[in-house]
């Protein structure tokens, strides 16, 4: 029996309960209760979610838990001394401590992430690094395991985190069965960049969206401003001005980001050499691709591939 304590606080976001559903499905797959879940909070009783309704919780005490998981919120709320104290206790008494998304700020405030590798939602990664310089923030990982501390990206990544825990506890086939029940990938390929790169563009007009769709479909090509302007049905000058106004980026920067995103996905799938990936994604040669990775992600392609292999074997 694995007892899981799921910690909530005022304005917690309900998507974190997706991890609880994964553990529930593991019970179903194994046809026995292997995970028992308790909702916890500092004061116990009813705790209001960001959606406005409340859940009933048990107050912190000295009950031992196999896993303690902290909820996340859509904003960074003030972290109370009681929450910090419980996080520190959890590290000492539990087999593992986990924090999806902005829950990482609770662990960081408690000092649990000092000297450790950790991740959070890409939109909060820079803030986490600035506030807690002793943390080794990796802003493009879906989840990271560093010793007994687990962190993950946005709140849906709590499912990835839970699946990895289930696999570690009960094997790959059980985790695959749970993933099938939830209709999600057993292991998601790629990092957060595959989501953030497109989210950061978010064009407002169909014409600029057409040019972005054209880029994604023709990564091996030259993709000059003239070519993209033609796809959008605009003159090069109109296109450049409209593209920057709608996305906040130059066309060249957006093309590079989308190429890096595509190359990264191929690297993490692990089926092609660096030379082939460079050609397929329009970089032409590995050196040019490496420079783009350093500009965009701050890491060379070799590190990305190594991290993907390490994550797959974790």
């Amino acid at each position: 029996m694995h007892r899981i304590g799921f910690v909530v606080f005022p304005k917690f976001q309900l998507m974190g309960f997706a991890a609880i559903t994964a553990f529930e499905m593991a019970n179903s797959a194994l046809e026995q209760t292997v995970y028992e879940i308790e909702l916890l909070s500092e004061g116990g009783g009813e705790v209001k979610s960001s959606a406005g309704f409340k859940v009933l919780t048990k107050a912190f005490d000295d009950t031992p838990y196999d896993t303690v998981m902290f909820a996340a919120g859509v904003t960074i709320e003030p972290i109370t001394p009681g929450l910090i104290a419980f996080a520190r206790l959890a590290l000492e008494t539990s087999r593992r401590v986990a924090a999806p998304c902005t829950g990482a700020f609770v662990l960081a405030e408690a000092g649990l992430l000092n000297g450790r590798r950790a991740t959070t939602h890409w939109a909060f990664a820079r803030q986490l690094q600035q506030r807690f310089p002793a943390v080794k923030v990796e802003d493009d990982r879906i989840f990271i395991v560093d010793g007994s501390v687990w962190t993950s990206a946005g709140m849906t990544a709590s499912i990835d985190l839970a699946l990895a825990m289930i696999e570690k506890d009960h094997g790959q086939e059980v985790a695959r069965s749970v993933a099938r029940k939830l209709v999600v990938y057993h292991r998601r390929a790629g990092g957060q960049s595959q989501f953030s790169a497109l989210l950061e563009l978010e064009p407002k007009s169909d014409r600029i969206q057409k040019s972005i769709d054209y880029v994604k479909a023709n990564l091996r090509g030259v993709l000059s401003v003239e070519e993209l302007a033609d796809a959008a049905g605009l003159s090069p000058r109109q296109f450049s001005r409209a593209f920057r106004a709608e996305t906040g980026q130059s066309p060249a920067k957006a093309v590079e980001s989308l190429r890096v995103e595509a190359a990264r996905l191929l690297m993490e799938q692990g089926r092609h050499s660096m030379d082939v990936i460079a050609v397929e994604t329009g970089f032409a040669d590995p050196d040019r691709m490496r420079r783009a990775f350093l500009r965009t992600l701050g890491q060379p392609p070799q590190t990305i591939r190594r991290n993907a292999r390490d994550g797959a074997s974790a």
Side-chain angles (χ1 to χ4, degrees), residues 124-167:
F124 293 96
R126 184 174 297 177
Q127 184 179 347
L128 182 66
Q129 187 66 85
Q130 289 173 344
R131 282 183 56 181
F132 305 100
V135 181
K136 302 173 183 176
V137 178
E138 297 184 17
D139 63 1
D140 197 52
R141 299 296 297 277
I142 296 295
F143 70 87
I144 287 178
V145 183
D146 192 324
S148 60
V149 179
W150 299 52
T151 53
S152 73
M155 282 172 276
T156 59
S158 65
I159 300 174
D160 301 85
L161 198 70
L163 287 172
M165 289 180 177
I166 292 165
E167 181 170 337

Side-chain angles (χ1 to χ4, degrees), residues 42-83:
E42 186 173 352
E46 294 182 336
V47 177
K48 185 181 286 188
S49 69
S50 60
F53 61 84
K54 301 173 182 178
V55 297
L56 189 61
T57 67
K58 172 186 171 183
F60 295 158
D61 59 20
D62 58 359
T63 300
Y65 294 95
D66 177 76
T67 301
V68 173
M69 184 176 290
F70 290 82
V74 293
T75 58
I76 309 299
E77 298 295 324
I79 299 168
T80 65
L83 198 56

Side-chain angles (χ1 to χ4, degrees), residues 91-293:
L91 185 66
E92 296 175 2
T93 59
S94 303
R95 179 162 65 98
R96 58 196 175 203
V97 178
C101 195
T102 58
F105 284 79
V106 176
L107 303 190
E109 191 72 49
L112 274 60
L113 299 183
N114 288 348
R116 294 184 190 270
R117 296 164 53 241
T119 193
T120 187
H121 190 289
W122 59 269
F124 293 96
R126 184 174 297 177
Q127 184 179 347
L128 182 66
Q129 187 66 85
Q130 289 173 344
R131 282 183 56 181
F132 305 100
V135 181
K136 302 173 183 176
V137 178
E138 297 184 17
D139 63 1
D140 197 52
R141 299 296 297 277
I142 296 295
F143 70 87
I144 287 178
V145 183
D146 192 324
S148 60
V149 179
W150 299 52
T151 53
S152 73
M155 282 172 276
T156 59
S158 65
I159 300 174
D160 301 85
L161 198 70
L163 287 172
M165 289 180 177
I166 292 165
E167 181 170 337
K168 191 171 185 66
D169 296 340
H170 299 288
Q172 186 178 99
E173 285 309 307
V174 175
R176 286 185 184 278
S177 175
V178 172
R180 286 195 294 270
K181 287 175 181 291
L182 296 175
V183 197
V184 297
Y185 289 111
H186 172 218
R187 289 198 185 101
R188 258 197 283 188
Q192 294 190 63
S193 65
Q194 63 183 305
F195 310 105
S196 59
L198 289 175
L199 289 172
E200 286 177 352
L201 291 175
E202 290 189 326
K204 298 177 178 63
S205 70
D206 290 342
R207 285 186 169 186
I208 300 303
Q209 183 61 59
K210 283 181 182 178
S211 70
I212 292 173
D213 292 341
Y214 183 86
V215 171
K216 291 169 63 180
N218 297 277
L219 285 175
R220 292 188 65 169
V222 176
L223 297 176
S224 65
V225 169
E226 290 76 15
E227 188 176 356
L228 300 185
D230 186 62
L234 296 168
S235 71
R237 179 176 293 181
Q238 288 175 319
F239 171 74
S240 294
R241 186 166 54 246
F243 194 96
R244 186 179 289 276
E246 292 190 25
T247 69
Q249 298 184 26
S250 69
K253 177 62 178 175
V255 168
E256 182 174 89
S257 296
L258 292 170
R259 280 179 165 148
V260 167
E261 175 186 307
R264 183 188 183 104
L265 181 58
L266 289 173
M267 285 170 201
E268 292 181 336
Q269 291 172 345
R271 294 195 293 267
H272 303 290
S273 69
M274 293 295 186
D275 287 346
V276 169
I277 292 172
V279 171
E280 288 297 318
T281 54
F283 287 114
D285 65 78
D287 186 58
R288 184 181 169 195
M289 181 171 69
R290 180 179 182 277
R291 292 196 299 271
F293 267 66

